[in-house]
C-alpha cells in the first residue's frame, strides 16, 4: 500500500531524511517512533505529498508521489491524515467539518455527506455533539472528530502524526481506543506515536528513527524484545 524507497530530503543545507526505505502492506499497522527532531513528521508528510523530497520515491497504492504528473490533491483525498493539533475548522459546526470535503472534493450530495458524517460521529461516540463548534468540545473529542472526518473520505490508508501528544492524559485513551478499533478492522495505518501500549496492542511493525534515518524497522516482538539497536534501547528506556 505504501512503499518508501531511498527517500532523502534536505531543508537547504540541512539533511532531514537520509535514504529512508520501508514498505507498509495493506492492512498493516506500523508505528513510527524516535526522538524529537528525528524526521518522523517530515517522513509522514512526504507520504501524502505535503512535503517534497529530492531523492527516492514513494508509491501509495501504486501512485508515485515523486512523479510530477501525479495529481497530489486527488491522491491526498484518499489518504486520511490526523495531526497533533486537530485542525478542525473552528467557525464551522462539527457536522459541517465532517461534510465539507465530502461535498467539495468527492462531489457527494449534502444529504449523503451528512448521513455518512453522522454515522461516523456516532461511531466515535459523539453523535450528540453534531451541532456544536469545535471549541465547545474537549481535546479528546476534537481529535475523535478529526478521525471521523478523515474516515468520511473513505481513505485507503490513514496517517497519524502524534495524535495524542497534545491531549491531557485522561483523554489519550478515548482516542487510542478509536485507533485500536480501526486497526482491528484492517485499516492500513502509519502512526507516529510514543504510545507504546498502542504499539504493543496493534502494531505489526515498529520503525525507530534517529537523525533522519530509519535505524530500526522490526516486527513488534523483535522491537520490544532483544536484540535491538542501542539508540532505540536508550529511547525506550526513557519513555517506558
Ligand atoms: P520529528 O517529527 O521527528 O520531531 P520533524 O520531521 O518535525 O521531526 O523535523 C526534523 C528536523 O527537520 C528537525 O531538526 C526540524 O527542526 C527540521 N525541520 C522541520 N521542518 C523544517 C522546515 N520547514 N525548515 C527547516 N527545518 C525544518
Ligand atoms: Mg513531529
Amino acid at each position: 500500500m505504501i512503499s518508501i524507497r531511498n527517500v532523502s530530503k534536505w531543508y537547504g543545507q540541512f539533511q532531514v531524511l537520509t535514504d529512508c526505505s520501508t514498505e507498509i502492506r495493506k492492512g498493516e499497522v506500523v508505528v513510527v517512533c524516535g526522538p524529537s527532531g528525528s524526521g518522523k513528521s517530515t517522513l509522514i508528510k512526504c507520504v501524502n505529498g505535503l512535503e517534497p523530497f529530492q531523492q527516492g520515491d514513494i508509491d501509495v497504492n501504486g501512485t508515485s508521489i515523486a512523479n510530477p504528473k501525479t495529481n497530489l490533491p486527488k491522491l491526498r483525498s484518499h489518504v486520511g491524515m490526523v495531526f497533533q493539533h486537530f485542525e478542525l475548522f473552528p467557525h464551522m459546526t462539527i457536522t459541517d467539518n465532517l461534510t465539507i470535503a465530502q461535498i467539495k472534493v468527492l462531489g457527494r450530495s449534502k444529504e449523503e455527506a451528512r448521513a455518512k458524517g453522522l454515522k461516523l460521529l456516532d461511531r466515535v461516540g459523539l453523535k450528540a455533539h453534531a451541532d456544536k463548534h469545535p471549541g465547545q468540545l474537549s481535546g479528546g473529542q476534537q481529535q475523535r472528530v478529526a478521525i471521523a472526518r478523515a474516515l468520511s473520505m473513505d481513505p485507503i490508508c490513514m496517517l497519524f502524526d502524534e495524535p495524542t501528544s497534545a491531549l491531557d492524559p485522561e483523554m489519550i485513551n478515548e482516542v487510542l481506543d478509536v485507533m485500536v478499533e480501526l486497526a482491528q478492522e484492517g485499516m492500513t495505518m502509519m502512526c507516529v506515536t510514543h504510545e507504546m501500549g498502542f504499539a504493543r496492542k496493534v502494531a505489526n511493525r515498529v520503525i525507530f528513527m534517529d537523525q533522519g534515518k530509519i535505524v530500526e524497522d522490526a516486527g513488534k516482538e523483535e522491537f520490544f524484545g532483544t536484540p535491538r539497536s542501542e539508540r532505540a534501547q536508550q529511547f525506550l528506556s526513557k519513555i517506558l
Side-chain angles (χ1 to χ4, degrees):
M1 180 66 75
I2 301 172
S3 168
I4 300 174
R5 293 187 305 273
N6 308 105
V7 167
S8 293
K9 173 179 173 66
W10 288 260
Y11 284 119
Q13 300 280 65
F14 174 67
Q15 185 160 12
V16 57
L17 296 176
T18 304
D19 202 25
C20 292
S21 297
T22 192
E23 303 264 344
I24 301 179
R25 287 187 295 275
K26 194 168 189 292
E28 249 188 340
V29 176
V30 172
V31 161
V32 181
C33 61
S36 179
S38 57
K40 307 178 298 294
S41 294
T42 304
L43 183 64
I44 208 166
K45 282 188 202 145
C46 287
V47 171
N48 68 353
L50 283 175
E51 281 286 354
F53 45 90
Q54 288 83 12
Q55 281 180 11
D57 199 1
I58 300 177
D59 277 357
V60 178
N61 202 23
T63 303
S64 154
I65 298 282
N67 185 341
K69 287 188 188 131
T70 294
N71 181 341
L72 285 179
K74 182 159 181 247
L75 180 81
R76 255 178 236 138
S77 70
H78 300 294
V79 176
M81 175 108 202
V82 175
F83 300 93
Q84 187 173 353
H85 301 284
F86 338 118
E87 315 210 5
L88 298 172
F89 300 115
H91 57 291
M92 289 184 191
T93 64
I94 299 305
T95 304
D96 288 343
N97 266 282
L98 288 167
T99 55
I100 184 158
Q102 293 188 67
I103 296 166
K104 302 251 187 240
V105 180
L106 301 183
R108 288 181 181 153
S109 70
K110 270 190 182 159
E111 295 69 35
E112 192 189 352
R114 193 179 159 80
K116 176 126 195 157
L118 290 179
K119 197 170 133 201
L120 287 163
L121 198 58
D122 191 27
R123 189 183 154 172
V124 298
L126 295 171
K127 204 173 186 180
H129 302 278
D131 299 323
K132 292 187 180 168
H133 283 75
Q136 294 171 279
L137 302 188
S138 71
Q141 290 173 327
Q142 289 186 56
Q143 195 59 299
R144 280 144 68 200
V145 171
I147 295 172
R149 180 175 64 175
L151 293 174
S152 76
M153 303 295 282
D154 294 324
I156 53 172
C157 59
M158 289 281 287
L159 310 177
F160 292 87
D161 190 1
E162 303 209 35
T164 60
S165 351
L167 299 178
D168 290 335
E170 72 271 21
M171 291 172 190
I172 291 176
N173 280 329
E174 64 191 60
V175 172
L176 290 178
D177 287 348
V178 172
M179 291 170 62
V180 165
E181 218 178 275
L182 264 184
Q184 288 170 343
E185 281 167 14
M187 177 64 79
T188 308
M189 294 165 61
M190 181 171 178
C191 310
V192 177
T193 182
H194 292 151
E195 293 294 333
M196 291 300 135
F198 171 79
R200 279 210 161 91
K201 206 181 239 173
V202 295
N204 299 98
R205 296 203 330 274
V206 181
I207 287 175
F208 177 76
M209 292 185 71
D210 192 28
Q211 296 180 15
K213 293 187 185 124
I214 293 178
V215 296
E216 191 121 11
D217 184 348
K220 173 175 60 176
E221 310 302 332
E222 192 188 333
F223 184 80
F224 288 114
T226 45
R228 67 178 111 86
S229 73
E230 200 178 311
R231 271 179 293 188
Q233 262 180 32
Q234 275 173 1
F235 177 76
L236 281 177
S237 71
K238 281 186 201 136
I239 64 164
L240 288 179

